Amino acid sequence: MKRFIPETRAVNVVKRFTCDELVELLTAYLEDVLDRPSHDGVRAHLSCCEHCERYFEQFRATIRVLGDQPPEKLPAGVRDRLMSAFRERHGG
């Protein structure tokens, strides 16, 4: 008697996330470093969760506004004191 063994092949897999899990993945999502199932899961969640979509849009708006800010320079005296404290603490 022959047994029927279904052929295995890749199918579209979409991970499901809670809202808390999604928040932890947003940076990776924006940097496009998630695997395909996770990326698609984030997109699916955002498309059906109004609160997470709003949070995501606020997150992106914050990055647009603050992302290109030049780093603030420390006054020379402050920098020297910090570097000296660091060296003392780390035996350098």
Side-chain angles (χ1 to χ4, degrees), residues 6-91:
E7 185 179 315
T8 56
R9 59 187 165 148
V11 294
N12 290 337
V13 176
V14 175
K15 292 185 180 177
R16 295 181 184 265
F17 300 107
T18 65
C19 294
D20 287 339
E21 290 170 331
L22 180 108
V23 166
E24 295 297 321
L25 294 171
L26 286 182
T27 299
Y29 176 76
L30 288 170
E31 292 176 353
D32 200 26
V33 296
L34 294 176
D35 60 31
R36 178 55 51 198
S38 297
H39 182 271
D40 292 346
V42 169
R43 286 182 49 177
H45 187 105
L46 290 172
S47 72
C48 65
C49 182
E50 178 183 333
H51 300 291
C52 285
E53 192 214 359
R54 188 174 323 125
Y55 178 82
F56 177 64
E57 290 305 323
Q58 290 171 347
F59 191 76
R60 285 183 11 169
T62 301
I63 291 169
R64 275 193 301 273
V65 171
L66 299 178
D68 291 333
Q69 296 294 314
E72 198 169 313
K73 296 196 179 204
L74 291 174
V78 172
R79 184 184 182 287
D80 292 343
R81 286 194 307 274
L82 284 172
M83 292 304 291
S84 177
F86 179 79
R87 284 187 201 103
E88 286 175 19
R89 183 173 182 117
H90 292 284

